[in-house]
Amino acid sequence: MSGPKVLHVITGLGIGGAEQQLRLLLRHLPVRGRVVTLTNPGPVALGIEADGTPVTHLGMTGNRDLGALPRLARIVRDGGYDLVHTHLYRACVYGRLAARLGGVRRVIATEHSLGESQIEGRPLSAGTRALYLASERLGTSTVAVSPSVARRLAAWGVAPERIEVVPNGIETGRFAFAPRARRLTRGVLGLPEDAFVVGGVGRLAPGKRFDRLIRAVASVPEARLLLVGDGPEREELRAVARACGAAGRVLFFGACEDPPLDGPAGPTLPELLAAMDAFVSTSPDETFGLAVVEALAAGLPVLYVACPAVEDLPADAAPGARRIGESVHELVGALRALRDEHGPRPVRLPAPAAAGRYDIARSADRLMTLYGRALHGPPAP
């Protein structure tokens, strides 16, 4: 493979939006190199290696494991890399410094998860900000995954001229609705063909507010909920479903690596979306909203509380998406309206302009432009 030699550094490679986004990008970037994960070489690491990019686990034991810095610098120095690309807060802080120590002065960092009040779950404290900004000056530029994140970075203190927007992306064609996939997937999951199935996708963590979605579905007797994802709130959410009397109507599918590794052991994410009739994102603080884009590409009507991927576009770019408030009451009303409008027949909307705009091939092309600019421009001071 031709192209520059790039070292990607990421905090971890368990199943998550930033982690799977890196895997998708690597499938479309015409570069050589490898990935270093500071911690947790999980399922996405296996996927990246199956796609042909080697992964090294640095074995970092915590945020203050300073011994990881010389180990990472040695990898940079020995690898002969043209550029280092970091992903997620800890990897950005350590990776920029390690690149400088390893002799690489061209560093691009992608900020995947800067919300209104947190960065990757950390509160936006003065210390977090100071450390981030100090390391940011060692890089060439910082990539924001949406204009909303770019505005937050600038407000946080990153120089606007150092910020570039490269949206997250999906392999759009894989999500096109297939009636046969709907029938087969519902059969595998035990979902009746005429059931009104509401879907949610994401990490089962407090910030996603899936408890509200469960409570809303419990108030719509004809509805069933298909939750795709795993995380620390799994048992708490099961308890919510039991308390609401809806345990028999809430299906916890678990995490879904997408794309699958070596052929799926069960339904793929596009097949799971095909089994749904409506998609809901209840998270009030998103940096992009990739799951919403995937649902739109699958032709689903979408309800969302926050989604920069949609909000940063003209209204007609995603006509099937409707923004709602955070309350369970409003969500119940919106679900009932969808049920009454469409009934038991599956509804599929044309894939909107937003889906094509966020195709991963376009994101990869934009990133290659930034790589070229970094490699042919002056190095970081």
Side-chain angles (χ1 to χ4, degrees):
M1 180 184 291
S2 60
K5 190 173 184 182
V6 179
L7 178 67
H8 289 268
V9 183
I10 190 166
T11 299
L13 284 173
I15 293 179
E19 296 83 355
Q20 297 196 87
Q21 189 64 198
L22 173 58
R23 182 186 173 196
L24 283 181
L25 278 171
L26 290 170
R27 289 159 64 96
H28 292 265
L29 285 172
V31 301
R32 300 165 292 137
R34 71 169 50 236
V35 174
V36 170
T37 179
L38 304 185
T39 63
N40 186 22
V44 181
L46 297 176
I48 289 173
E49 291 194 316
D51 293 340
T53 300
V55 176
T56 298
H57 178 211
L58 197 65
M60 193 172 186
T61 57
N63 287 338
R64 299 182 181 179
D65 179 8
L66 298 181
L69 185 59
R71 297 199 301 273
L72 183 55
R74 191 176 307 115
I75 291 172
V76 173
R77 186 183 308 110
D78 294 346
Y81 296 100
D82 300 303
L83 184 145
V84 172
H85 188 164
T86 64
H87 307 261
L88 299 175
Y89 181 87
R90 195 194 309 182
C92 287
V93 171
Y94 277 82
R96 289 172 176 133
L97 185 53
R100 179 62 61 95
L101 294 174
V104 175
R105 297 170 70 89
R106 290 173 171 87
V107 183
I108 288 177
T110 294
E111 183 45 64
H112 295 266
S113 302
L114 178 60
E116 292 287 357
S117 60
Q118 52 78 34
I119 182 168
E120 300 163 35
R122 296 179 176 85
L124 294 181
S125 66
T128 299
R129 175 177 176 272
L131 187 57
Y132 186 92
L133 293 177
S135 69
E136 197 277 336
R137 295 184 183 96
L138 298 176
T140 306
S141 61
T142 296
V143 170
V145 297
S146 69
S148 293
V149 172
R151 290 190 292 271
R152 292 168 188 168
L153 283 167
W156 219 29
V158 178
E161 64 271 16
R162 292 173 58 81
I163 301 171
E164 304 283 351
V165 176
V166 178
N168 282 334
I170 65 171
E171 292 178 330
T172 309
R174 296 182 57 245
F175 290 88
F177 176 64
R180 182 172 183 272
R182 176 187 171 88
R183 292 193 302 272
L184 292 177
T185 304
R186 286 201 169 200
V188 168
L189 299 178
L191 294 169
E193 183 58 34
D194 61 351
F196 176 59
V197 178
V198 178
V201 176
R203 181 166 165 77
L204 305 187
K208 296 296 184 182
R209 308 287 172 86
F210 283 127
D211 57 319
R212 298 181 183 182
L213 181 53
I214 291 172
R215 291 187 174 93
V217 168
S219 297
V220 184
E222 303 86 352
R224 298 181 182 230
L225 176 60
L226 172 56
L227 270 183
V228 181
D230 207 346
E233 269 211 327
R234 184 185 182 100
E235 293 310 312
E236 289 85 346
L237 293 173
R238 286 186 183 278
V240 170
R242 290 193 297 269
C244 293
R249 293 191 285 120
V250 179
L251 175 59
F252 290 83
F253 180 82
C256 182
E257 167 68 3
D258 186 73
L261 290 177
D262 299 312
T268 63
L269 182 57
E271 289 167 343
L272 291 166
L273 291 170
M276 300 173 188
D277 294 302
F279 185 89
V280 181
S281 173
T282 43
S283 172
D285 189 4
E286 286 286 344
T287 56
F288 185 77
L290 198 65
V292 167
V293 175
E294 291 166 340
L296 290 171
L300 284 166
V302 171
L303 304 173
Y304 70 90
V305 175
C307 181
V310 172
E311 294 158 12
D312 289 332
L313 297 180
D316 60 355
R322 174 187 162 193
R323 186 172 187 176
I324 60 171
E326 297 184 40
S327 73
V328 173
H329 175 76
E330 186 168 351
L331 180 52
V332 169
L335 289 176
R336 285 175 175 165
L338 283 177
R339 176 206 59 191
D340 294 343
E341 180 181 356
H342 302 304
R345 297 177 58 188
V347 174
R348 281 304 184 272
L349 307 170
R357 181 185 181 102
Y358 293 130
D359 190 276
I360 191 67
R362 293 186 63 175
S363 299
D365 286 346
R366 173 65 176 148
L367 197 55
M368 286 303 298
T369 298
L370 295 186
Y371 284 2
R373 189 184 305 168
L375 291 171
H376 295 103

